[in-house]
Amino acid sequence: AGTRILNAALRSKIMSAEEAAALIPSGVNVGMSGFTGAGHPKSVPAALAKRIMDANLYGKKFKIGVWTGASTAPELDGALAMVDGVEMRLPYQSDPTCRKRINAGEMEYIDIHLSHVAQSVWFGFLGKLDVAVVEVSGILEDGRLIPSSSVGNNKTWLDCADKVILEVNSWQHPALEGMHDIYYGTALPPHRKPIPIIKTDDRIGEPYFRVDPNKIIAIVETHQTDRNSAFSAPDESSRKIAGHILEFLEHEVAKGRLPKNLLPLQSGVGNIANAVLAGLNKGPFENLTAYTEVLQDGMLEMIKSGKLTVASATAFSLSPSALTELNSDLDRFKHNIILRPQEISNHPEVIRRLGVIAMNGMIEADIYGNVNSTHVMGTKIMNGIGGSGDFARNAFLSFFMTPSQAKGGEISCIVPMVSHVDHTEHDVQVIVTEQGLADLRGLSPKQRAKVVIENCAHPHFKPALMDYYKRSLDHSPGKQTPHLLEEALAWHLRYLREGQM
Ligand code: 0RQ
């Protein structure tokens, strides 16, 4: 113990999680590390949750603002939501208890493009950042910090917060040192300069965080594992979606519109995204690269097989078994992986320059190609937009994927009009379901509608969608994007009333 903290002066700040949590008062905004179950603080949030519960037992209100990289784990989001200790949550979550509170109106939530968070904090758009609680994997003699298994917004939290609490997690692999690329060249407008990443594996920063030692008020030592749920094995539907995408990519290569090793890949969260990666791992493409935000199981497999030569991300997002595998051989994988701040992993400028191929999941799409990634039946948040908008708008090719039906066939994921829009028709180039793929490039709204219905809708819903489209064409006052406004959301209403669309 203590060996991870090489700076002698900082060792005097070591204390228990309870003591550290006692330094966080009610009403403050706390920037926590953590990105999809990797690199989140493991013990201070839970200790804080206990403190909040105690305050509540004595009739006192105790709530904080919780800002993170993205989703975290039950011991952070779950614990704080359970005691109703979160006033405002941002920018992305996927915790069931949190989701329940948000949808019950008991917790405020701002869903932000992940690349926008840093600049919003710098400019104070979100209020003041009082405390940072950041997991690191070690502290150097000169006080610089070795980042953990996610970078997320940690650079911004350490730079902007008044006070800093560090969790030094000795469970994190020592070989993480050197894997990160923390860029200190970002400036605010009007002084911005280009982000000099030209290739996926360019390193433009340094492997450590800097922090003003005078801001550090506590250091807590932990030895706890990252936490991500396991992926389910690709099912029939995900395999079909993967198959359609692979076929399409081969076609694009044959047409000379994509190089043989494609372009840098971005792959979202979830089982379908992982299935697509599994498909690519068996597919014909070699020497692939990834410029993405999370490195999940499928990408690790591709690095192992040699299909993927380099992956740039902001976090690991690995199932327990993949994590064990990574950590048993991290020295080997180290040379293929770069972890960057999310401001850079999701930077529109870099995504556009590299020509990223973006592949993200969705909740529903409409016949004109607008995509809802976040809201069930228009009003209930699922997770958040995450990085999907950063990538979709700026990608060279942007795919959105979903099974054609949800809830055992009661819901059509292709609808007349989406009940919430995250990605407008302008940012959506290819829609894929197990039924097929709709390439929307170069098509007008009316042309898109026919292809989306024909190629992507489930046969059970196809006739009703075509009927809606045809009647819209006859009766819509405008013929650019024909709709029957009194009917456009009737499918969702029917589901809410009758349990089926
Ligand atoms: O709910 O678990 O209660 O059954 O939505 O659906 O099919 O498991 O799909 O895990 O791929 O998630 C959009 C949520 C898809 C995800 C979304 C219900 C369905 C199920 C999940 P149940 P699946 P996935 C980089 C990119 C935004 C963030 C993003 C997401 C649940 O991909 O969060 O892309 N994306 N980030 O039953 C009602 C429909 C439905 C529906 C599915 N049409 N109506 N419910 N469901 N379709 C990563 C980061 O940013 C960190």
Side-chain angles (χ1 to χ4, degrees), residues 35-36 70 92 114 266 268-271 293 360-364 373 376-377 382-388 403 406-407 411 413:
F35 202 108
T36 64
Y92 182 85
L114 296 187
Q266 178 260 337
V269 283
N271 293 321
E293 58 180 52
N360 291 292
M362 62 173 161
I363 285 179
E364 59 180 5
S373 291
V376 171
M377 300 298 143
M382 177 57 75
N383 303 321
I385 194 167
S388 56
K407 302 287 175 207
I411 293 174
C413 297

Side-chain angles (χ1 to χ4, degrees), residues 171-410:
W171 173 85
Q172 294 290 357
H173 201 292
L176 281 172
E177 184 172 359
M179 208 182 237
H180 309 89
D181 188 54
I182 313 300
Y183 184 55
Y184 278 90
T186 48
L188 301 177
H191 304 293
R192 274 205 179 123
K193 301 211 174 68
I195 307 290
I197 294 177
I198 312 289
K199 301 191 307 324
T200 335
D201 57 350
D202 281 342
R203 286 183 174 270
I204 59 171
E206 42 201 271
Y208 307 108
F209 292 124
R210 307 169 190 167
V211 63
D212 174 359
N214 297 316
K215 296 206 297 191
I216 301 176
I217 55 169
I219 297 177
V220 178
E221 291 179 295
T222 64
H223 187 84
Q224 267 164 275
T225 166
D226 278 342
R227 187 125 75 121
N228 266 301
S229 36
F231 290 103
S232 46
D235 60 4
E236 180 66 13
S237 161
S238 331
R239 272 202 302 272
K240 281 187 179 160
I241 290 173
H244 298 316
I245 292 181
L246 253 76
E247 198 185 313
F248 177 81
L249 292 173
E250 282 180 63
H251 176 256
E252 290 297 298
V253 172
K255 283 243 172 185
R257 298 198 282 216
L258 277 177
K260 272 205 177 95
N261 69 334
L262 307 180
L263 285 165
L265 306 169
Q266 178 260 337
S267 168
V269 283
N271 293 321
I272 297 176
N274 212 48
V276 173
L277 295 173
L280 279 166
N281 200 24
K282 291 201 204 96
F285 310 110
E286 308 286 340
N287 296 315
L288 299 168
T289 65
Y291 197 82
T292 187
E293 58 180 52
V294 289
L295 199 142
Q296 67 276 62
D297 290 25
M299 280 200 182
L300 195 64
E301 286 299 316
M302 290 171 74
I303 292 176
K304 269 169 42 196
S305 72
K307 290 266 184 189
L308 189 69
T309 58
V310 59
S312 162
T314 193
F316 290 108
S317 185
L318 298 170
S319 67
S321 61
L323 194 54
T324 308
E325 204 171 334
L326 174 84
N327 280 341
S328 68
D329 214 0
L330 196 61
D331 278 306
R332 177 161 80 90
F333 291 122
K334 189 170 172 169
H335 308 287
N336 309 97
I337 299 169
I338 302 175
L339 297 181
R340 312 179 192 272
Q342 70 191 60
E343 185 186 7
I344 304 297
S345 65
N346 288 30
H347 204 294
E349 172 196 339
V350 182
I351 293 165
R352 179 69 64 90
R353 179 181 300 128
L354 297 178
V356 170
I357 298 176
M359 299 177 284
N360 291 292
M362 62 173 161
I363 285 179
E364 59 180 5
D366 66 29
I367 56 176
Y368 296 115
N370 299 287
V371 162
N372 171 10
S373 291
T374 57
H375 284 70
V376 171
M377 300 298 143
T379 63
K380 283 191 175 171
I381 193 82
M382 177 57 75
N383 303 321
I385 194 167
S388 56
D390 292 323
F391 284 94
R393 174 156 293 176
N394 302 293
F396 178 79
L397 258 181
S398 174
F399 294 87
F400 280 95
M401 320 170 285
T402 177
S404 64
Q405 306 186 106
K407 302 287 175 207
E410 307 294 7

